[in-house]
Amino acid sequence: MMQQTAALTINIAPSSQGNSQGNTVQLHSDRPVLAANYFIGKSVDETLRLLPMLFSVCSKAQACASVRGFECALNQNAEACVQRQRQIAVDVESLREHLWRIFLQWPQLLGSKAKQPILAEVFRLQRALDAQLNPNNQLFTMNAKGALQVDSVCMKQLKALVDLQVFGSSCEQWLAITDLSELSRWQKDTDTSASQLLNAISDKQWQSSGDGGYSPLPELTPAQQKELQQLMAQDEFIAQPTWLNQSCESTPLTRNQSPLLEQCQQHFGTGLLTRAIAMLTEVANLAANLLRWFRYVHSKPAGEQSPTWQLGHAVAARGQLFHSVQCQNNTVTDYRILAPTEWNFHPMGVVKAALGQLQGSPNALKLQAQLFIELLDPCVAYSVSTHHGVATGVSTHA
């Protein structure tokens, strides 16, 4: 894999001794946030066909948010089984994205060898599931119909892989851990990329590193969704979004809850250990829910209601993804995408606050910064400069 030019550059100027203001942190992004303008003038069907090619990272989430955006704009509702299959496809993609970090990026940051064979099996299983969930590439199109045959074999295999290779037991057993003493025992008794990262953080006493607080992007009411859609018409807002004049984040920490996460936040704030536990909690939940999703592919469970959205929306691996579309006579007249990277890597947001709190030698500072960035997971290549050298990371893949 070729090294990519960094679209996200982060510069950390370490504080001088006795400086209570912390490190000076600057973030600059060259992400093409207005790339969706490419679809203006194209038909709805052509846009839905081309969009996953243009946005290859989290392409299922992008396709899902896109078709939901058009369904909102045209006042059409997909069948319940179609919505269910779309959600499974997005969840499996999110799981794959997290496993990419766990098996590839986490070992490399700790100086170990990436778990390429395991990751290759993850990709194989995802492709097999896609073939069942999205036959003839019609799942993310207007008037899509549910697949006739979806079996649970690949889902069981993917869950079994996560059970063994991430948690060394079952996802359910890991989710049952409720306090830090149980977590410590799990770390000592397990030898996986996940436990190795947690052990490294604990051994270096970096559990609280990057504790800069956080402001979660809230669940939006229908009225707030309309307000967000209006804000998305502004180029400046798409590039550097805020909500109620605040830089918010949309990460695994903002959408997962557990007794263990509560304990981590009480003891270590929103530092590295809490962030790692949040991602692992999401991985465990996604994997544990695979078979639950499968049971309802063809029917809607009693009592469950679909959320009402005013614009296209999907929860991708990196956070909430919004698509706002306008069309007339089957032609796109405006298209706006607001991705989670713009929230999470806002120049005045959570990364600036977190990296401003880091301490240690230049090498320690650089590694802590990389760990924090990987746990938020930008969807682009990035570089981190500490005035003592540059560290790079690649968050995209083939």
Side-chain angles (χ1 to χ4, degrees):
M1 181 171 57
M2 294 178 62
Q3 179 66 50
Q4 302 179 34
T5 302
L8 178 66
T9 57
I10 301 171
N11 181 271
I12 307 172
S15 63
S16 56
Q17 278 193 328
N19 182 359
S20 61
Q21 300 302 312
N23 308 316
T24 301
V25 181
Q26 294 179 321
L27 288 83
H28 176 74
S29 174
D30 287 325
R31 271 171 49 81
V33 295
L34 300 179
N37 286 342
Y38 170 77
F39 300 117
I40 295 175
K42 292 180 168 50
S43 70
V44 172
D45 290 342
E46 186 179 13
T47 299
L48 289 171
R49 180 177 62 83
L50 293 174
L51 184 134
M53 302 178 193
L54 185 62
F55 299 99
S56 58
V57 177
C58 289
S59 61
K60 297 292 186 300
Q62 294 281 4
C64 187
S66 180
V67 71
R68 286 173 175 171
F70 283 116
E71 288 167 350
C72 287
L74 300 174
N75 198 28
Q76 296 184 17
N77 293 317
E79 297 176 354
C81 62
V82 171
Q83 292 285 25
R84 183 70 66 176
Q85 284 173 235
R86 288 173 179 171
Q87 190 60 57
I88 296 171
V90 172
D91 283 357
V92 172
E93 178 181 70
S94 294
L95 182 57
R96 181 205 69 189
E97 291 293 302
H98 290 326
L99 295 177
W100 169 271
R101 314 231 71 73
I102 291 170
F103 295 134
L104 184 70
Q105 304 296 94
W106 289 11
Q108 290 178 340
L109 284 173
L110 300 179
S112 301
K113 191 174 181 181
K115 308 293 178 63
Q116 295 278 14
I118 301 174
L119 197 57
E121 178 65 3
V122 172
F123 275 71
R124 184 191 73 80
L125 291 170
Q126 190 209 10
R127 287 193 295 268
L129 279 169
D130 280 345
Q132 295 180 27
L133 292 165
N134 191 13
N136 304 316
N137 293 318
Q138 60 80 45
L139 183 60
F140 298 102
T141 61
M142 304 297 291
N143 304 310
K145 301 297 180 184
L148 298 178
Q149 291 184 343
V150 180
D151 65 60
S152 63
V153 174
C154 289
M155 291 186 184
K156 289 179 178 178
Q157 291 176 340
L158 182 54
K159 182 181 182 299
L161 182 151
V162 174
D163 286 344
L164 178 63
Q165 301 295 345
V166 178
F167 299 108
S169 55
S170 71
C171 299
E172 291 81 2
Q173 286 176 298
W174 193 86
L175 287 170
I177 297 174
T178 58
D179 59 44
L180 294 174
S181 60
E182 290 180 65
L183 177 65
S184 179
R185 285 195 293 273
W186 176 83
Q187 290 177 218
K188 293 176 181 176
D189 295 341
T190 308
D191 187 21
T192 65
S193 297
S195 63
Q196 289 165 11
L197 181 78
L198 298 190
N199 282 326
I201 291 172
S202 299
D203 291 345
K204 296 177 183 294
Q205 298 186 336
W206 288 351
Q207 295 97 322
S208 299
S209 294
D211 176 22
Y214 82 127
S215 298
L217 182 65
E219 294 293 327
L220 302 178
T221 65
Q224 289 173 326
Q225 294 165 31
K226 288 183 178 180
E227 182 181 351
L228 178 65
Q229 194 168 26
Q230 293 171 351
L231 290 170
M232 286 174 64
Q234 305 170 22
D235 293 353
E236 298 81 3
F237 181 83
I238 291 288
Q240 296 183 10
T242 59
W243 188 251
L244 301 179
N245 297 317
Q246 238 180 348
S247 299
C248 299
E249 69 169 274
S250 180
T251 64
L253 183 58
T254 67
R255 57 182 179 264
N256 288 280
Q257 295 180 332
S258 73
L260 179 60
L261 262 176
E262 288 180 14
Q263 275 220 354
C264 286
Q265 284 191 267
Q266 288 173 7
H267 286 80
F268 308 117
T270 56
L272 289 177
L273 185 68
T274 303
R275 299 276 177 182
I277 294 298
M279 182 177 284
L280 291 174
T281 301
E282 180 152 293
V283 167
N285 282 325
L286 286 170
N289 285 338
L290 283 177
L291 298 182
R292 179 181 67 85
W293 277 125
F294 167 76
R295 287 195 292 271
Y296 299 114
V297 167
H298 295 290
S299 63
K300 194 176 182 68
E304 182 177 333
Q305 298 182 2
S306 298
T308 301
W309 283 97
Q310 307 299 317
L311 67 168
H313 173 262
V315 179
R318 296 162 179 88
Q320 295 194 56
L321 174 66
F322 300 99
H323 284 223
S324 175
V325 301
Q326 294 180 27
C327 50
Q328 187 174 6
N329 299 325
N330 199 44
T331 300
V332 177
T333 57
D334 192 31
Y335 204 125
R336 300 285 173 137
I337 296 176
L338 179 54
T341 295
E342 272 58 70
W343 294 102
N344 298 336
F345 290 85
H346 188 286
M348 301 301 293
V350 60
V351 173
K352 178 182 174 66
L355 303 192
Q357 304 296 318
L358 299 182
Q359 297 179 358
S361 68
N363 287 337
L365 199 67
K366 201 160 29 178
L367 180 55
Q368 290 173 76
Q370 280 190 283
L371 285 171
F372 192 91
I373 293 164
E374 291 290 340
L375 290 169
L376 262 67
D377 189 5
C379 60
V380 291
Y382 67 87
S383 68
V384 180
S385 170
T386 61
H387 288 193
H388 297 280
V390 178
T392 60
V394 179
S395 290
T396 54
H397 48 79

